[in-house]
């Protein structure tokens, strides 16, 4: 019995892999710092008073739910899809996974034929799953808000909802006066 010679995809050099690792760690660190010190406090403040606010004429609680159920899965699908879809389509056309000429970080055996198409289709299915979650999620806020009766309480009197133009002018005035701080309320 003769065993086929295994082919492996071309690998990045050690220098390229180190550079990719440094860039990746740097990007993740910047995103984490942005999330931890600005976005999460802003989101927490908004979530605490969402039932009192409006954003572009939409209730704040519905905006919050649509961000969680629709915007986040779509952002993940778009981010992953930008890298995975072109490679998966090249793999399907060439019936080779990873596609011809694509470098990899580790030792990856080249798959050909039906197995290569199934592997590439798995990448496309992952993207489709996130789009499906977003489609499913687009129905959930309406159902949640129909069942919940958001109450307006004493905290709502201190929260103002403004149009985007008014918010921009308020931010400009507050910045000139030095009264607007990061994470502060309007």
């Amino acid at each position: 019995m003769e065993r086929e010679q295994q082919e492996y995809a071309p690998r990045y050099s050690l220098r390229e892999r180190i550079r990719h690792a440094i860039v990746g760690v740097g990007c993740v660190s910047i995103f984490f710092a942005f999330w931890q010190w600005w976005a999460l406090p802003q989101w927490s403040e908004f979530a605490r008073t969402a039932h009192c606010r409006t954003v572009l004429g939409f209730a704040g609680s519905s905006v919050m739910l649509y961000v969680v159920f629709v915007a986040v899965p779509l952002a993940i699908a778009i981010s992953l899809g930008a890298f995975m879809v072109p490679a998966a389509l090249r793999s399907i056309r060439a019936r080779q996974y990873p596609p011809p000429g694509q470098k990899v970080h580790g030792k990856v055996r080249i798959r050909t034929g039906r197995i290569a198409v199934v592997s590439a289709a798995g990448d496309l299915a992952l993207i489709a799953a996130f789009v499906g979650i977003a489609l499913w999620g687009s129905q959930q806020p309406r159902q949640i808000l129909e069942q919940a009766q958001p109450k307006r309480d004493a905290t709502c009197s201190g929260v103002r909802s403004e149009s985007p133009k008014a918010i921009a002018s308020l931010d400009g005035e507050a910045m000139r006066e030095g009264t607007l701080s990061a994470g502060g309320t309007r």
Side-chain angles (χ1 to χ4, degrees), residues 36-116:
Q36 191 67 28
W37 288 305
W38 186 80
L40 190 58
Q42 292 289 327
W43 181 255
S44 297
E45 175 64 27
F46 180 80
R48 233 182 331 254
T49 59
H51 62 284
C52 302
R53 297 176 181 243
T54 59
V55 177
L56 301 174
F58 297 102
S61 52
S62 65
V63 169
M64 189 177 75
L65 290 172
Y66 276 103
V67 164
V68 170
F69 283 110
V70 180
V72 170
L74 274 181
I76 292 170
I78 291 169
S79 299
L80 289 177
F83 298 102
M84 294 175 74
V85 169
L89 293 177
R90 282 195 323 265
S91 286
I92 290 171
R93 271 188 244 120
R95 298 183 60 83
Q96 175 182 325
Y97 188 84
Q102 180 173 330
K103 290 184 174 183
V104 295
H105 287 277
K107 189 174 181 181
V108 177
R109 187 175 62 83
I110 293 177
R111 295 180 227 140
T112 58
R114 190 176 294 165
I115 293 175

Side-chain angles (χ1 to χ4, degrees), residues 151-173:
K151 60 182 186 324
R152 295 189 71 83
D153 55 22
T155 62
C156 290
S157 62
V159 176
R160 292 192 329 217
S161 294
E162 302 286 344
S163 69
K165 288 182 183 177
I167 290 172
S169 68
L170 284 174
D171 287 347
E173 291 170 16

Side-chain angles (χ1 to χ4, degrees), residues 119-167:
S119 296
D123 291 349
L124 295 175
L126 177 67
I127 304 304
F130 280 109
V131 171
I133 290 169
L135 289 173
W136 169 82
S138 68
Q139 302 304 312
Q140 301 313 306
R142 186 177 309 122
Q143 293 173 0
I144 291 169
L145 291 172
E146 285 174 1
Q147 292 175 0
Q149 296 298 324
K151 60 182 186 324
R152 295 189 71 83
D153 55 22
T155 62
C156 290
S157 62
V159 176
R160 292 192 329 217
S161 294
E162 302 286 344
S163 69
K165 288 182 183 177
I167 290 172

